[in-house]
Amino acid sequence: MSDLPMLPVRVTVKAVVEETPSVRTFYFEPGIPSSPGQFVMVWVPGVDEVPMALSSATSITVQQVGDATTAMFCLKPGDALGIRGPLGNGFTVSGKTLAIGGGVGAAPLLHLAVEGKVSTFLLGARTADELLFAPVINASSNLKIATDDGTAGHHGVVTDLMDEIDLEAYDHICVCGPEIMMLKVLERLHAAGVADRGQFSLHRYMKCGIGVCGSCATDPHGLRVCRDGPVFTGADLLESEFGRYARDATGSKVVFPWAKKAEE
Amino acid sequence: MSDLPMLPVRVTVKAVVEETPSVRTFYFEPGIPSSPGQFVMVWVPGVDEVPMALSSATSITVQQVGDATTAMFCLKPGDALGIRGPLGNGFTVSGKTLAIGGGVGAAPLLHLAVEGKVSTFLLGARTADELLFAPVINASSNLKIATDDGTAGHHGVVTDLMDEIDLEAYDHICVCGPEIMMLKVLERLHAAGVADRGQFSLHRYMKCGIGVCGSCATDPHGLRVCRDGPVFTGADLLESEFGRYARDATGSKVVFPWAKKAEE
Amino acid sequence: MISLQPGEITVGGVALHNHLLLAAGVLGTTGASLRRMLRLGAGGVVTKSIGPEPNPGHHGPCLVRTEGGLLNAMGLPNPSKEFVGEIEPLKDEPVVVSVYGKDPEDFKEVAGWFAGTGTARGFELNVSCPHAAGYGAAIGTDPEMVLECTRAVASHGLPVWVKLTPNVTDITTIGLAAEKGGASAIVAVNTVRGMRISTEMRRPVLGYRSGGLSGKAIFPIAVKCVWDLYEACSIPIVGCGGISTADDVVEMMMAGAQAVEVGSAVIDEVRVFEQIARGLYAADGVAAEEIVGVAHRV
Amino acid sequence: MISLQPGEITVGGVALHNHLLLAAGVLGTTGASLRRMLRLGAGGVVTKSIGPEPNPGHHGPCLVRTEGGLLNAMGLPNPSKEFVGEIEPLKDEPVVVSVYGKDPEDFKEVAGWFAGTGTARGFELNVSCPHAAGYGAAIGTDPEMVLECTRAVASHGLPVWVKLTPNVTDITTIGLAAEKGGASAIVAVNTVRGMRISTEMRRPVLGYRSGGLSGKAIFPIAVKCVWDLYEACSIPIVGCGGISTADDVVEMMMAGAQAVEVGSAVIDEVRVFEQIARGLYAADGVAAEEIVGVAHRV
Ligand SMILES: Cc1cc2nc3c(=O)[nH]c(=O)nc-3n(C[C@H](O)[C@H](O)[C@H](O)COP(=O)(O)OP(=O)(O)OC[C@H]3O[C@@H](n4cnc5c(N)ncnc54)[C@H](O)[C@@H]3O)c2cc1C
Ligand SMILES: Cc1cc2nc3c(=O)[nH]c(=O)nc-3n(C[C@H](O)[C@H](O)[C@H](O)COP(=O)(O)OP(=O)(O)OC[C@H]3O[C@@H](n4cnc5c(N)ncnc54)[C@H](O)[C@@H]3O)c2cc1C
Ligand SMILES: Cc1cc2nc3c(=O)[nH]c(=O)nc-3n(C[C@H](O)[C@H](O)[C@H](O)COP(=O)(O)O)c2cc1C
Ligand SMILES: Cc1cc2nc3c(=O)[nH]c(=O)nc-3n(C[C@H](O)[C@H](O)[C@H](O)COP(=O)(O)O)c2cc1C
Ligand code: FES
Ligand code: FES
């Protein structure tokens, strides 16, 4: 455990970049030596501590959804955050890698792409304005875009882009995005018989971030997203709770809307 | 502090050797990797814990003087003791070394001699029966003996033997024995201008043995015999409490009988 | 090193696969997590403490590592009654349900959900959590309250373990109250009151400000509590606090514990139960009775 | 890291060279040892606790290292009245004399020896040692007794610091009693009750069986006690327990301490005061007032 963080370390916000109307990247110092896919617990003093992927060793990219993220949106350069990390296992890649990102899920994949480890990157968003990091990703990998409304790239969802891809040609397929999107990707990988090449970065409710409290335990094997993940292989996720339900802060199951019928 | 011992380690008595009517050597296992002059705190369960020099890595040589040592004298092979150690600094020698030992003070010097580090060994006792380790010492160094009653070697005290010795010829002069004897040795070294070559192993009341409680602190510099010693150079001891008084378990000064007049 | 005989045992009325239970609140929020710990060698598991209403717990940070320990203020997050379904698949396993509440009625009600469905082999009363105003230690420092809560839950007819806080002047008064209330065992101890401040942020690091210290740092404190309770009480004691090795288990037993709970040590290794068991059990080991409390008899 | 202004200060009526005192009972049994610690950078020293009669203390083992801490049951060895002569040569130094006894009369008598000779700048009342039957914590768990002992010693007209035990249900009740009795400061905390058993020997490892835990392991416990006392009391607080770095000092101050005592950390390095001071003080540092209790004001 000696490599697990102790008290949060104070970092100073150096720059805030408005990526889209609801997503901002916060650059901070000092950086957190880490590998792509690892995350940190971000302490917003007086508010809460929440998990965030590192979009680089010196940044997190945040979508505003509630209390803590709204408080972060008030941060200016010079303000402080507490960081515990790096945490979790990150992506393990070698050879040829396909990345598939949707929404703010592009953050950990950006980290991977910037390190030159992504051959092809499928990036999705609702609309052109919400596409994250497209220019930067384009500089280091073969970028393909999809938007729901067709304002950029393919008109449709990011999984559509997989039609043009020879999945067999990739050693690793790294995926992060809304759970419904990741579920669709997993279904395609499974159908193509390459679920084991998929590396999916999961979001689950986290409290301790270091594998003790059990908040992030998943069914049916009790694997902890914070410590045994957040990256799991597609094979691990088949026949798991993935795509069906998650848990809230109380530990109660929250069934995803699209899965409601099946669970009843 | 990571090299300081934690809880006592249990050792098993393997053999008990009656060296003299009032001194026994207890051989135990496992041994305590150590250098000559280091000591251990010996826990006699239900009685007390007392400091003892290691007469070898696997033995202590004990004079019966009170509760704990009397309890030790009841120990048989197979019995257990608790050991915290090795503790303290031990002797630091190189080149040519003279050892001067009196009574049970021969114990740490034996450890040194057996390692082949003593050229000349002056050994004293009250009477021939109480000479410790003479055959063993004789095998590894040039042994000279003195007894108060003349039953062996020179008839007189061990310091008399120093008359025949060219102190200047020795790089180190290691001394252990009754404080009165060590005081006489120090006076001679001082007179000869070689007090700094003297290494004296002191006995003082010890409780913690690891430099925290202060029981063994000496005047006037507050040096701790357990941690800064037990071996001090003759130069360190000049103008100290050495040879004048020590302290008991309460921390009260106990003036040595021979020093009583001077202290009043 | 002393070894123990392997095999099933019964402690405080609960049958267990071995002497090592998972402590409450550690990897115990879901049925699957509890099952994982059983598969990884726990002889029994204590669930996250369940209360009368669903509770999201305190704001973060909820848990930080400190020198030789963990400091947490989770704030008793739990899904309340929904948890019954969570552990239904574990009906055949040694599951002790940890319960909390603000008064004897709360305790009785919550325990009743489980007693009624056969999902609990016994209950552990959390009257000792140091970071939940009005709950936990707020109750566990009052002998009369402890007695009443114990009695209320005991009325369900299942074994009741009462888990004590070390944050009292004299833990034996609380242990005796539990005994008088009909407890089958005492669990000692819950976390020790503690706090850390981030000097960089100039504020307490936990969202709740103060919390409870666990892990190796508190092991000597827990041993002393077990020792004192063994001297004062006659019901079995389950030792808890800072245990991470087979030798720690033996030490707790010599202080008077018949079994132990292990929590924070999962941070080093989720397979801690297997690890401990490997060092603790041997076919030619002694019966636990031979060492329980033995340090009192010298 | 925050730095403090160097220089003389006054805390609880006692003038000190800096914010770092040597804690009672650690390298404090002789005048020479106390002087050494002052020379090595202590801003003030607290003596070994002195009682009404010479006391050899408990049988050994008296002190063992444990995970992140020390466990001791010295048993208050001290030479009693003879100690006056011991510290006479330190008359010009910031020496606080620690005193213990079984009742207010004992406390008053012992303090009187020092008050009469000008050898004490102030007194620290040890009503908190956990391993001395009838003394220490036996008194410090009773608010009325603490009040009376404080009042008795305060009658000598010198500052009185009262050192508290963390081994109570609510430390603020004892802090308030000290304040009411006329204390100039509260020292928090003494050691935490603890025990270790040698599994090899099948018996408690300390001669006295149980003892007090100190060192890094108890730092979060001490911070919490200081925090609670700062909320409840108005007299200055001196923090003690597990402090070993400049950052620990700042943390204690943010919890509410105006100065600190350092004990067990001498085991790592007898020059610990110099080490801490090197990290703590800077010419452009802030005044301590700017950080004392600051973590309460967020
Ligand atoms: C490993 C991991 C990596 C993540 N990376 C990113 C990222 O790079 N960018 C990003 O914008 N978001 C990321 N998230 C999601 C992010 O943690 C939540 O959006 C954030 O916690 C919301 O906090 P809030 O207080 O603003 O929302 P709240 O008002 O508290 O709740 C809104 C929703 O956010 C989620 N949430 C709240 N608290 C937590 C928590 N402690 N743990 C997990 N989810 C929580 C829940 O689904 C909740 O319903 C990540 C989550 C995980 C587990
Ligand atoms: C570094 C060191 C090395 C020593 N090496 C040896 C050795 O090799 N062989 C040997 O026989 N003796 C040695 N001694 C002395 C030995 O520690 C005492 O003889 C022993 O402690 C006596 O214990 P007791 O209970 O039998 O005596 P007690 O009845 O307790 O007292 C008798 C006398 O023994 C001394 N003594 C008692 N307890 C202690 C204590 N905790 N620390 C120091 N002195 C104490 C005191 O002078 C006391 O007056 C050494 C002492 C020190 C400090
Ligand atoms: C993250 C965490 C959550 C805990 N939750 C509970 C709880 O819900 N109920 C309870 O009785 N004890 C709870 N505890 C206390 C533990 O069960 C245990 O008593 C304590 O941690 C000491 O044991 P350990 O040192 O082995 O962890 C919790 C401890 C931790 C670290
Ligand atoms: C060996 C030892 C002896 C002690 N003796 C005393 C004492 O005589 N009086 C007292 O008030 N506290 C005594 N204490 C407690 C310390 O003064 C201090 O309160 C405690 O050790 C916590 O601080 P630390 O962690 O910095 O050591 C002693 C502690 C130790 C380790
Ligand atoms: S968040 Fe606590 S175990 Fe994962
Ligand atoms: S015996 Fe404790 S300091 Fe030497």
Side-chain angles (χ1 to χ4, degrees):
Chain A
M1 83 165 170
S2 46
D3 54 342
L4 292 174
M6 310 262 308
L7 297 204
V9 168
R10 179 194 153 113
V11 300
T12 306
V13 175
K14 289 289 161 185
V16 181
V17 174
E18 190 162 331
E19 308 282 2
T20 79
S22 71
V23 176
R24 292 187 190 170
T25 298
F26 299 87
Y27 290 90
F28 53 77
E29 260 180 28
I32 309 291
S34 53
S35 51
Q38 288 194 295
F39 70 99
V40 291
M41 293 299 292
V42 180
W43 176 23
V44 191
V47 184
D48 205 347
E49 189 193 40
V50 293
M52 287 288 160
L54 289 162
S55 51
S56 75
T58 55
S59 66
I60 51 176
T61 299
V62 179
Q63 176 157 37
Q64 185 178 5
V65 297
D67 291 355
T69 50
T70 298
M72 280 191 232
F73 267 52
C74 301
L75 292 174
K76 301 170 307 300
D79 288 345
L81 287 170
I83 299 275
R84 286 192 297 133
L87 302 170
N89 59 359
F91 299 110
T92 318
V93 296
S94 58
K96 211 174 156 196
T97 297
L98 171 67
I100 309 179
V104 76
L109 296 171
L110 172 73
H111 199 174
L112 196 66
V114 166
E115 292 200 353
K117 294 182 173 152
V118 176
S119 308
T120 307
F121 200 123
L122 312 185
L123 181 66
R126 271 203 317 115
T127 177
D129 278 358
E130 294 186 354
L131 276 171
L132 280 177
F133 316 126
V136 185
I137 293 170
N138 199 28
S140 61
S141 54
N142 174 16
L143 175 64
K144 295 184 193 300
I145 287 174
T147 52
D148 295 357
D149 63 1
T151 43
H154 169 76
H155 187 159
V157 293
V158 69
T159 39
D160 296 347
L161 298 173
M162 294 172 76
D163 293 336
E164 311 157 20
I165 299 275
D166 175 15
L167 295 175
E168 291 279 351
Y170 292 89
D171 300 297
H172 302 287
I173 300 158
C174 298
V175 192
C176 190
E179 191 132 333
I180 181 71
M181 174 213 117
M182 294 204 286
L183 178 64
K184 299 282 176 217
V185 173
L186 177 58
E187 284 167 1
R188 283 179 173 250
L189 298 193
H190 189 42
V194 293
D196 55 331
R197 297 195 193 176
Q199 296 185 19
F200 294 77
S201 180
L202 259 59
H203 286 189
R204 283 296 180 272
Y205 206 94
M206 290 184 181
K207 283 173 172 281
C208 76
I210 51 179
V212 175
C213 73
S215 311
C216 67
T218 52
D219 290 346
H221 299 303
L223 295 176
R224 301 157 300 177
V225 175
C226 71
R227 191 87 183 265
D228 303 306
V231 176
F232 294 92
T233 68
D236 285 340
L237 298 181
L238 291 171
E239 314 203 17
S240 78
E241 69 172 43
F242 176 72
R244 297 193 287 131
Y245 58 83
R247 285 170 201 271
D248 64 14
T250 71
S252 302
K253 286 183 193 169
V254 181
V255 177
F256 291 121
W258 62 86
K260 281 241 162 78
K261 232 186 2 259
E263 294 291 320
E264 276 148 23
Chain B
M1 81 165 172
S2 45
D3 54 344
L4 292 174
M6 309 262 308
L7 297 206
V9 167
R10 179 194 154 111
V11 299
T12 306
V13 175
K14 288 290 160 184
V16 182
V17 174
E18 191 163 329
E19 308 281 1
T20 78
S22 69
V23 175
R24 292 187 190 169
T25 297
F26 299 87
Y27 290 89
F28 54 76
E29 261 180 31
I32 309 289
S34 54
S35 51
Q38 287 193 296
F39 69 100
V40 292
M41 293 298 292
V42 180
W43 176 23
V44 191
V47 185
D48 205 348
E49 189 193 39
V50 292
M52 288 288 160
L54 289 162
S55 50
S56 75
T58 55
S59 66
I60 51 175
T61 300
V62 179
Q63 175 156 37
Q64 185 178 5
V65 298
D67 291 355
T69 49
T70 298
M72 280 190 228
F73 267 51
C74 303
L75 293 174
K76 302 170 305 300
D79 287 345
L81 287 170
I83 300 276
R84 286 193 296 133
L87 303 169
N89 59 1
F91 300 110
T92 317
V93 297
S94 58
K96 212 173 154 197
T97 297
L98 172 67
I100 310 178
V104 77
L109 296 171
L110 173 73
H111 199 174
L112 196 65
V114 166
E115 292 201 351
K117 293 183 175 153
V118 176
S119 309
T120 308
F121 201 123
L122 313 185
L123 181 66
R126 270 202 320 114
T127 179
D129 278 359
E130 294 186 351
L131 276 171
L132 280 177
F133 317 124
V136 185
I137 293 170
N138 200 27
S140 62
S141 54
N142 175 15
L143 174 64
K144 294 183 196 300
I145 286 172
T147 52
D148 295 357
D149 64 1
T151 44
H154 169 76
H155 186 159
V157 294
V158 70
T159 39
D160 296 347
L161 298 172
M162 294 173 76
D163 292 337
E164 311 157 20
I165 299 275
D166 175 15
L167 295 175
E168 290 279 350
Y170 293 91
D171 300 299
H172 303 286
I173 302 158
C174 298
V175 193
C176 189
E179 189 132 334
I180 182 70
M181 174 216 117
M182 294 205 285
L183 178 64
K184 298 285 177 215
V185 173
L186 178 59
E187 283 167 2
R188 282 179 173 251
L189 297 192
H190 190 40
V194 293
D196 54 330
R197 298 195 193 175
Q199 296 186 17
F200 294 78
S201 179
L202 260 58
H203 286 188
R204 284 297 180 271
Y205 205 95
M206 291 183 180
K207 283 172 172 281
C208 75
I210 52 179
V212 174
C213 73
S215 311
C216 67
T218 53
D219 291 347
H221 299 301
L223 295 176
R224 300 158 299 175
V225 174
C226 70
R227 190 89 183 264
D228 302 307
V231 176
F232 295 93
T233 68
D236 285 341
L237 298 180
L238 293 169
E239 315 202 14
S240 78
E241 69 173 44
F242 176 72
R244 298 193 287 130
Y245 58 83
R247 285 169 201 272
D248 65 15
T250 71
S252 303
K253 286 183 194 170
V254 180
V255 177
F256 291 122
W258 62 85
K260 281 243 161 78
K261 236 199 348 268
E263 292 292 319
E264 276 147 20
Chain C
M1 210 350 279
I2 294 152
S3 297
L4 297 185
Q5 275 164 18
E8 302 285 314
I9 56 158
T10 297
V11 172
V14 179
L16 302 168
H17 300 321
N18 62 44
H19 299 88
L20 317 169
L21 292 111
L22 178 71
V26 173
L27 299 181
T29 37
T30 70
S33 189
L34 291 166
R35 185 187 292 283
R36 182 186 191 195
M37 298 317 288
L38 286 163
R39 290 214 172 119
L40 292 180
V45 292
V46 184
T47 69
K48 180 71 202 168
S49 293
I50 304 300
E53 302 288 344
N55 178 4
H58 298 315
H59 279 153
C62 294
L63 186 146
V64 291
R65 273 183 70 213
T66 64
E67 195 73 43
L70 297 177
L71 186 67
N72 93 82
M74 301 296 294
L76 297 173
N78 80 93
S80 194
K81 196 167 183 174
E82 193 183 311
F83 196 74
V84 177
E86 204 57 57
I87 57 170
E88 226 142 31
L90 297 177
K91 259 188 181 159
D92 296 331
E93 298 286 352
V95 176
V96 173
V97 175
S98 175
V99 171
Y100 78 90
K102 68 176 179 321
D103 52 32
E105 291 69 42
D106 272 5
F107 274 93
K108 185 169 177 175
E109 182 196 346
V110 175
W113 302 334
F114 297 89
T117 52
T119 43
R121 294 290 177 84
F123 296 106
E124 183 179 282
L125 310 194
N126 178 353
V127 292
S128 39
C129 173
H131 44 79
Y135 296 103
I139 288 175
T141 53
D142 175 353
E144 198 52 41
M145 239 337 207
V146 168
L147 190 155
E148 292 303 336
C149 292
T150 309
R151 185 170 284 161
V153 177
S155 69
H156 290 301
L158 284 169
V160 181
W161 297 2
V162 180
K163 183 167 179 188
L164 305 187
T165 171
N167 305 308
V168 289
T169 306
D170 181 359
I171 197 169
T172 64
T173 59
I174 316 294
L176 287 168
E179 185 166 319
K180 208 163 143 198
S184 309
I186 294 166
V187 182
V189 287
N190 211 311
T191 54
V192 181
R193 257 187 317 236
M195 175 188 267
R196 289 297 306 273
I197 290 167
S198 165
T199 57
E200 295 179 323
M201 304 295 249
R202 300 178 170 231
R203 57 161 73 227
V205 75
L206 293 177
Y208 191 67
R209 295 198 288 207
S210 70
L213 189 65
S214 60
K216 290 180 205 288
I218 71 165
F219 182 64
I221 301 172
V223 170
K224 170 65 170 151
C225 289
V226 168
W227 175 278
D228 288 348
L229 289 163
Y230 185 84
E231 296 269 318
C233 304
S234 19
I235 54 177
I237 301 163
V238 178
C240 180
I243 295 166
S244 64
T245 67
D247 203 45
D248 293 344
V249 176
V250 173
E251 187 165 340
M252 270 293 184
M253 289 188 161
M254 288 185 173
Q258 293 192 12
V260 302
E261 295 183 3
V262 177
S264 302
V266 302
I267 195 175
D268 287 313
E269 177 50 65
V270 74
R271 295 175 184 274
V272 61
F273 290 95
E274 282 170 1
Q275 268 181 0
I276 293 178
R278 218 173 300 132
L280 186 62
Y281 294 108
D284 62 352
V286 301
E289 302 87 76
E290 287 186 37
I291 64 164
V292 172
V294 76
H296 294 258
R297 298 191 283 278
V298 290
Chain D
M1 222 322 299
I2 292 153
S3 299
L4 297 185
Q5 276 165 19
E8 302 284 316
I9 56 157
T10 297
V11 171
V14 179
L16 302 168
H17 301 320
N18 61 45
H19 299 88
L20 318 168
L21 292 111
L22 178 71
V26 173
L27 299 182
T29 38
T30 70
S33 188
L34 292 165
R35 185 189 292 284
R36 183 187 191 194
M37 298 317 288
L38 286 162
R39 289 214 174 117
L40 292 180
V45 291
V46 184
T47 69
K48 180 71 201 167
S49 295
I50 304 299
E53 303 288 343
N55 178 5
H58 298 316
H59 280 152
C62 294
L63 187 146
V64 291
R65 275 183 67 213
T66 65
E67 195 73 41
L70 297 177
L71 186 67
N72 93 82
M74 301 296 295
L76 297 172
N78 79 96
S80 194
K81 196 168 181 174
E82 194 184 309
F83 197 73
V84 177
E86 204 56 57
I87 58 170
E88 225 142 31
L90 297 177
K91 260 187 180 160
D92 296 332
E93 299 286 354
V95 176
V96 173
V97 175
S98 174
V99 171
Y100 78 90
K102 68 177 178 321
D103 53 30
E105 292 68 43
D106 272 6
F107 274 94
K108 185 168 178 179
E109 183 198 344
V110 174
W113 302 333
F114 298 89
T117 53
T119 43
R121 294 290 177 84
F123 296 105
E124 183 178 281
L125 310 194
N126 178 352
V127 292
S128 40
C129 173
H131 45 79
Y135 296 103
I139 288 175
T141 52
D142 174 354
E144 197 53 39
M145 231 351 198
V146 169
L147 191 156
E148 292 303 335
C149 292
T150 309
R151 187 171 282 162
V153 176
S155 69
H156 290 301
L158 284 170
V160 180
W161 297 2
V162 180
K163 184 168 179 188
L164 305 187
T165 172
N167 304 308
V168 290
T169 307
D170 181 359
I171 197 170
T172 64
T173 61
I174 315 295
L176 288 168
E179 184 167 320
K180 208 161 142 199
S184 308
I186 293 165
V187 182
V189 288
N190 210 313
T191 53
V192 181
R193 259 186 318 233
M195 177 188 266
R196 289 298 306 273
I197 291 168
S198 165
T199 56
E200 295 179 323
M201 304 295 247
R202 299 177 170 234
R203 55 163 73 229
V205 76
L206 293 176
Y208 191 68
R209 296 200 286 206
S210 70
L213 188 66
S214 59
K216 292 181 204 286
I218 71 165
F219 182 65
I221 301 172
V223 169
K224 169 66 170 152
C225 289
V226 168
W227 175 279
D228 287 347
L229 289 163
Y230 185 84
E231 295 268 318
C233 304
S234 18
I235 54 176
I237 300 162
V238 178
C240 179
I243 295 166
S244 64
T245 67
D247 204 46
D248 292 344
V249 176
V250 171
E251 186 165 341
M252 271 291 185
M253 289 188 160
M254 289 184 172
Q258 293 191 9
V260 302
E261 296 183 4
V262 177
S264 303
V266 302
I267 196 174
D268 285 313
E269 177 51 65
V270 73
R271 295 175 184 277
V272 62
F273 290 95
E274 282 170 1
Q275 269 181 358
I276 293 178
R278 218 172 301 130
L280 187 62
Y281 294 108
D284 61 352
V286 302
E289 302 86 76
E290 288 184 35
I291 63 164
V292 172
V294 77
H296 294 259
R297 295 191 286 276
V298 289

